[in-house]
Amino acid sequence: MSIETINRLESEVRGYVRNFPCVFTHARGARMIDEDGREYIDFFAGAGVMNYGHNHPHLKRALLDYLSEDRIVHSLDMATEAKARFLERFEEVILKPRGLEYKVQFPGPTGTNAVEAALKLARKVTGRERVISFTNAFHGMTLGSLAVTGNSFKRAGAGVPLSHVSMVPFDGYLEEGKDQSLALLDMLLSDEGSGVDKPAAAIIETVQAEGGVNVARMEWLKELAAVLKRHDVLLIVDDIQVGCGRTGSFFSFEEAGIKPDIVCLSKSLSGFGLPLAVTLIRPELDQWAPGEHNGTFRGHNPAFVTATAALDFWADDSLQRDTGRKSELVKRRLEALVRRLPVQAQVRGRGLIQGIEFADTEIASECSKEAFARGLIVETAGVDDQVLKLLPPLMIPDEDLEAGLKILEEAVVAAAGRSKPDRKVA
Ligand SMILES: Cc1ncc(COP(=O)(O)O)c(C=O)c1O
């Protein structure tokens, strides 16, 4: 096997293979192994897909048992036992204990499908066109999702106008102490003379992951929900990357005490890396006509099986507590690291999504390269790739977390030591 084959035959659009240039063959827990047998600690976790680690034995067993009995793999959106089990368990373990009532739509296999369905439904139900999104948002690559995404490089790929969206500053985007974005939004929506058409919905990530690990404060999220409710505008939370326990609780918005009208989940939902996405809909809003939004791969049965097994991890609060413990440890280590760097850098994050933002925008990518050379997979985020983003599996064993942090510290010190004072500063 050769990476040359991939470089020769796969489209130029390929991305991560350029940053991590090796051929991976195996993965277990928080480790990935390449064709030469070299092991890497995974602080990337498939961009939040592998919250429970690679090939978790409980999920693998459920999948192998299911397949060995010739159960249904593909069924469009016909009724299957695997789907019914997933829905029952999701209601029992996730929705009911949180006092949440949602209808579940399977919009297509991946995150952007969940976002497209959410946007379409919000527009249909309200009869309004405009959607509010936030600076540095990332919601996916299909046209509707791209229209609510901030990154200009990604937006340019659309080749057509991306319209019917208004961008509002995310929490912390404006200068500290002068952040009046929600007050302004409230005012514009209240004023008949503002010229602002009433939007259908606002779509938000509570932690902007791709956008640079930007964390919205709980009181800001509460205020946003209140402003939207006051103006009868729907709240869509895109929990695709930071849901399924990434911030500690199953949904990232739980701590804020808000109940979104629509929620998008994907990535770690199947728990095993199999494609699965849902759009959760407040029951009164479920105004779809049968088949109005469809697709061939809506509810992949093997993914239902592993997703149902993964819900066992949420039967008690032990995973949430363990994520809290690990996130405190990571935060402490990163803060100590940043204090001894010769460059300007800042730590931020929530739960087990943590980032270091560097003023010299080239450092984060160099850290990622240095880390990879030392056996750690860690990615960058932000419009200039200025943030080193840590996203280890939630179930990473303590020894691997420790070993990964050690490599990370060495890599960051090496890369920051080479920073040149005349480089671009964000
Ligand atoms: C918050 C968020 N929304 C949507 C998406 C799009 O998901 P997908 O790449 O599965 O279409 C992503 C992907 O990274 C994401 O992080």
Side-chain angles (χ1 to χ4, degrees):
M1 255 180 298
S2 159
I3 200 157
E4 295 317 316
T5 308
I6 286 165
N7 292 344
R8 185 168 62 84
L9 294 175
E10 190 180 350
S11 158
E12 288 305 311
V13 81
R14 65 194 186 277
Y16 293 124
V17 60
R18 299 174 195 269
N19 303 346
F20 308 116
C22 67
V23 178
F24 292 104
T25 56
H26 296 77
R28 273 176 218 102
R31 286 178 181 248
M32 295 180 74
I33 300 152
D34 75 10
E35 60 183 344
D36 300 323
R38 183 153 192 240
E39 290 201 13
Y40 300 84
I41 294 174
D42 186 5
F43 271 17
F44 182 38
V49 171
M50 307 310 305
N51 280 6
Y52 312 118
H54 297 269
N55 284 303
H56 193 289
H58 179 58
L59 311 185
K60 185 163 64 177
R61 187 71 268 149
L63 180 62
L64 291 175
D65 287 350
Y66 187 82
L67 293 176
S68 71
E69 292 163 7
D70 285 342
R71 302 289 189 105
I72 299 283
V73 171
H74 181 73
S75 54
L76 291 149
D77 75 342
M78 286 185 258
T80 64
E81 195 184 19
K83 181 196 280 192
R85 284 221 171 110
F86 168 72
L87 287 169
E88 256 172 30
R89 194 81 175 128
F90 191 71
E91 180 183 44
E92 178 192 5
V93 177
I94 302 298
L95 298 181
K96 277 211 170 130
R98 291 164 179 78
L100 296 170
E101 215 186 315
Y102 288 119
K103 295 290 286 293
V104 183
Q105 179 182 358
F106 300 106
T110 191
T112 197
N113 300 128
V115 172
E116 293 285 351
L119 297 173
K120 269 169 82 170
L121 185 64
R123 287 177 167 129
K124 175 185 160 93
V125 168
T126 60
R128 304 177 205 139
E129 291 171 355
R130 192 152 292 277
V131 170
I132 293 171
S133 184
F134 294 86
T135 49
N136 288 306
F138 184 89
H139 296 291
M141 287 296 104
T142 50
L143 290 183
S145 306
L146 203 48
V148 287
T149 289
N151 186 306
S152 60
F153 169 63
K154 306 278 186 205
R155 288 178 70 86
V160 294
L162 297 171
S163 54
H164 303 114
V165 174
S166 300
M167 286 295 187
V168 168
F170 189 77
D171 190 20
Y173 184 80
L174 299 173
E175 204 181 317
E176 219 176 320
K178 293 189 182 161
D179 191 343
Q180 295 290 313
S181 59
L182 294 182
L184 180 64
L185 180 64
D186 194 16
M187 224 167 147
L188 291 172
L189 293 177
S190 305
D191 181 2
E192 292 292 330
S194 70
V196 172
D197 293 330
K198 196 164 174 167
I203 182 164
I204 189 148
E205 303 149 90
T206 65
V207 181
Q208 294 182 322
E210 299 303 308
V213 193
N214 306 315
V215 181
R217 289 163 301 142
M218 296 306 121
E219 56 277 24
W220 190 87
L221 289 171
K222 257 193 189 66
E223 179 57 19
L224 172 68
V227 169
L228 297 177
K229 199 173 172 76
R230 202 149 46 238
H231 296 286
D232 188 29
V233 174
L234 301 178
L235 171 61
I236 304 170
V237 170
D238 177 348
D239 235 3
I240 287 167
Q241 187 154 160
V242 298
C244 301
R246 180 52 58 184
T247 64
S249 51
F250 184 83
F251 294 110
S252 70
F253 53 80
E254 289 176 41
E255 201 183 326
I258 58 173
K259 289 191 175 172
D261 298 292
I262 302 177
V263 181
C264 302
L265 283 178
S266 183
K267 292 211 190 263
S268 268
L269 184 61
S270 82
F272 203 66
L274 301 177
L276 181 64
V278 294
T279 307
L280 304 177
I281 306 165
R282 188 154 60 75
E284 310 85 275
L285 303 175
D286 186 21
Q287 294 171 23
W288 289 116
E292 188 178 0
H293 184 95
N294 67 8
T296 307
F297 294 105
R298 272 172 306 143
H300 181 48
N301 287 282
F304 285 141
V305 170
T306 55
T308 307
L311 292 175
D312 293 344
F313 302 141
W314 292 96
D316 62 31
D317 67 355
S318 52
L319 177 60
Q320 179 166 347
R321 281 190 286 108
D322 200 46
T323 301
R325 177 183 66 82
K326 285 173 179 157
S327 73
E328 283 306 312
L329 173 94
V330 171
K331 205 174 204 100
R332 264 201 317 276
R333 289 284 286 269
L334 295 186
E335 277 165 358
L337 169 65
V338 159
R339 275 198 297 276
R340 62 190 171 92
L341 292 179
V343 298
Q344 234 183 302
Q346 185 208 350
V347 177
R348 57 171 179 255
R350 238 186 102 199
L352 271 178
I353 174 162
Q354 296 284 333
I356 307 177
E357 180 171 45
F358 294 93
D360 175 342
T361 54
E362 288 180 33
I363 296 180
S365 300
E366 285 173 19
C367 291
S368 171
K369 269 196 211 107
E370 285 282 348
F372 184 68
R374 291 166 159 82
L376 175 74
I377 297 171
V378 62
E379 245 300 6
T380 59
V383 71
D384 292 319
D385 287 320
Q386 76 278 21
V387 179
L388 191 64
K389 182 175 80 165
L390 280 71
L391 215 60
L394 309 181
M395 290 188 172
I396 186 170
D398 285 356
E399 316 80 80
D400 284 352
L401 185 59
E402 177 56 38
L405 285 171
K406 205 157 171 287
I407 296 176
L408 186 98
E409 286 160 353
E410 288 165 14
V412 170
V413 166
R418 291 197 304 267
S419 173
K420 301 198 177 57
D422 57 341
R423 277 206 206 137
K424 182 183 166 198
V425 167

